[in-house]
Amino acid sequence: MNNFRRRFPAPRQSLLEKEARTSSAPSAAFEPSKISQLAKEAPSWYKVASRRRLYGLLFPAAIISYMTSGYDGSMMNSLQTVSYWDDYFGRPRGSTLGLVSAVIALGAICSTPFAPWVADKYGRRMGITVGSIIMIVGAIIQCESKNFAMFCVARFILGFGLSFCTTASPSLVSELSHPKERVAVTAVCNTCWFLGSILAAWITYGTRLIPSTVSATMSPSIFRTSSADDGS
């Protein structure tokens, strides 16, 4: 078990501290890593101009990419309560209605073999850029959907691009964040899922009574396009 724990940074550091406390040899004294010392001694991010700029660029470029996943899930749940959307697409029910929500996951599955390769070969920023461009194309098609099949194709494209962003974003955040704030900044990534979900719910709620297809597809999809554009 100890051999297994030694392969991971946090358990390995705990084991070294424990061995240093229990050992009587002076050479066994535990010395914290330079990264730990840097994280402990560095000032807070808001006191350093370079880190303020870093997080100001990192937040819209990488962290907001997580919003798109929460935005989509909440948007589709909310659109099913909009009568104009239901009438416009021929009142889908049963498995047809389930396809609308499931097809984005199918798109993400299809892009899974390519997303890590792009992020590793061409860099994390390129992975986010490619994913954002694909999602912008999907959102535009979704805005202009004339029938149910076109709407499903648009959601497949959205899911295909989403996988690129969610693969590259965590790596970019963890690699660029300062060790002092790395844990907190990385945790914000997952929190943005709920931010996107809340935003989509209110946007759909606010446009639900517009007596046209604007409430059906255009308004929520336009806001999604803007969020994907922030990532690119």
Side-chain angles (χ1 to χ4, degrees), residues 12 28 46 55 69 84 109-110 114 124 138 145 168 184 192 200-201 222:
R12 183 169 64 247
Y46 54 85
Y55 297 134
S69 179
Y84 298 106
I109 292 172
C110 291
F114 310 104
R124 319 302 187 199
S145 295
C192 284
I222 289 172

Side-chain angles (χ1 to χ4, degrees), residues 54-185:
L54 169 65
Y55 297 134
L57 295 173
L58 192 62
F59 189 83
I63 299 177
I64 290 183
S65 298
Y66 270 84
M67 287 180 57
T68 57
S69 179
Y71 188 98
D72 180 83
S74 181
M75 183 188 73
M76 285 312 307
N77 289 335
S78 301
L79 282 178
Q80 293 175 30
T81 66
V82 179
S83 59
Y84 298 106
W85 181 88
D86 199 35
D87 295 337
Y88 184 76
F89 289 110
R91 299 180 180 274
R93 296 292 185 272
S95 59
T96 304
L97 185 60
L99 177 64
V100 180
S101 299
V103 71
I104 193 168
L106 180 61
I109 292 172
C110 291
S111 64
T112 299
F114 310 104
W117 178 78
V118 172
D120 288 338
K121 184 174 180 60
Y122 299 103
R124 319 302 187 199
R125 289 187 300 174
M126 182 57 66
I128 296 174
T129 301
V130 171
S132 297
I133 292 174
I134 294 174
M135 286 194 294
I136 289 172
V137 173
I140 292 173
I141 296 175
Q142 184 171 284
C143 286
E144 299 298 328
S145 295
K146 303 300 183 183
N147 50 56
F148 187 76
M150 187 175 178
F151 189 78
C152 288
V153 170
R155 289 185 51 76
F156 178 89
I157 296 174
L158 286 168
F160 195 90
L162 181 63
S163 183
F164 284 87
C165 289
T166 55
T167 299
S169 294
S171 301
L172 184 68
V173 169
S174 61
E175 290 167 1
L176 295 185
S177 298
H178 192 276
K180 189 176 185 67
E181 294 94 20
R182 182 171 296 157
V183 175
V185 174

Side-chain angles (χ1 to χ4, degrees), residues 190-208:
N190 291 327
T191 307
C192 284
W193 190 98
F194 300 96
L195 184 62
S197 178
I198 295 171
L199 183 64
W202 279 108
I203 290 174
T204 310
Y205 177 81
T207 60
R208 75 192 190 285

Side-chain angles (χ1 to χ4, degrees), residues 34-69:
K34 292 184 178 181
I35 295 180
S36 300
Q37 290 179 341
L38 178 63
K40 184 177 180 180
E41 298 171 0
S44 300
W45 66 272
Y46 54 85
K47 297 180 181 179
V48 183
S50 59
R51 279 153 66 190
R52 291 198 302 268
R53 183 183 179 187
L54 169 65
Y55 297 134
L57 295 173
L58 192 62
F59 189 83
I63 299 177
I64 290 183
S65 298
Y66 270 84
M67 287 180 57
T68 57
S69 179

